[in-house]
Amino acid sequence: MRGTVVALATRAPASALPLRVPTVQAVAGRGLDGDRHADPHSPRQLLLAGSAAYDDLGLPPLALRENLLVDVDTVGLESGMLLAVGLEAVLRLSFQCEACGALDARHPGLARAIGARRGILARVVQGGAIREGDPVRILDRRMAPMAEDWRERVLQVLDAAPPGMVVDYATLARLAGIQSTYCRAFPRLLASRGYAGRAVPARSASPAPRWAGAGLWD
């Protein structure tokens, strides 16, 4: 697969709105320089959306709040794929981005209309400048995929934790790429799947050392 970067956008930490830019610097292990989602713990450092979804639905620019708009079908992209973007940057695809209610705030009904076509989330594994018009291509090698279901991602993260270590709920949510509100579901989920005690609330008295995700993205 080969494609092109059609447009770029970032969201400053204090801003709720994306801003279109001609170029952006991807930072390995962190995300896009100056973007509010830059986070070394997160699998959702940036969002790629496909231009076909915009064309088919007649959407205004940045309606999907993406960082990279590309002229390829993001629905066909799979977790674990590596995408070379421009001359240097390499992205690791994480999982498809759910159409949440935030899309409806400015464009009522968009979440339902877009369905599974909002785009795919990714991490930066190799940094470099990304510019409008840059080529995009899938590399031959892949990395371990992440589950599309958030529950399975939570368990994947816990499976990667070193023996004897625990993860606090907030860190677990970041590593699994879900909102902190999901932490309320952790006790029941972990107990039902045999993972009780592997993750704990931040104020837990557990003496076990805390794991912050070291090595998870290697």
Side-chain angles (χ1 to χ4, degrees), residues 9-207:
T10 59
R11 292 170 64 191
S15 173
L17 299 177
L19 175 67
R20 186 166 178 174
V21 295
T23 183
V24 67
Q25 185 71 27
V27 181
R30 182 162 183 83
L32 300 183
D33 188 33
D35 188 79
R36 66 182 297 172
H37 293 294
D39 179 359
H41 291 86
S42 177
R44 50 191 313 142
Q45 294 174 348
L46 61 140
L47 173 64
L48 292 85
S51 57
Y54 274 87
D55 296 339
D56 293 346
L57 296 176
L59 301 176
L62 300 176
L64 299 180
R65 306 168 78 84
E66 75 281 353
N67 298 108
L68 273 66
L69 183 63
V70 294
D71 59 356
V72 299
D73 184 5
T74 58
V75 174
L77 299 177
E78 299 175 0
S79 179
M81 283 181 171
L82 294 176
L83 264 61
V85 184
L87 298 178
E88 300 174 295
V90 177
L91 309 179
R92 174 186 180 176
L93 301 186
S94 301
F95 44 86
Q96 297 290 333
C97 185
E98 294 183 2
C100 63
L103 296 180
D104 292 334
R106 292 182 175 273
H107 308 285
L110 178 54
R112 177 183 294 272
I114 198 66
R117 302 179 66 191
R118 183 179 182 183
I120 191 166
L121 297 154
R123 280 181 60 89
V124 179
V125 296
Q126 181 174 304
I130 300 176
R131 302 174 177 84
E132 287 188 13
D134 273 350
V136 178
R137 61 188 177 88
I138 296 178
L139 300 180
D140 291 336
R141 67 188 182 93
R142 294 194 181 196
M143 301 187 76
M146 298 190 75
E148 293 292 336
D149 186 283
W150 70 268
R151 302 167 189 82
E152 298 304 322
R153 288 202 305 274
V154 166
L155 302 185
Q156 282 182 321
V157 171
L158 292 177
D159 284 338
M165 300 188 76
V166 298
V167 188
D168 70 63
Y169 285 174
T171 299
L172 179 56
R174 289 170 66 190
L175 294 173
I178 56 179
Q179 296 181 357
S180 59
T181 53
Y182 284 70
C183 293
R184 292 175 295 186
F186 286 171
R188 177 176 295 182
L189 170 65
L190 302 185
S192 68
R193 301 293 290 272
Y195 285 75
R198 300 281 296 277
V200 296
R203 297 182 180 180
S204 169
S206 170

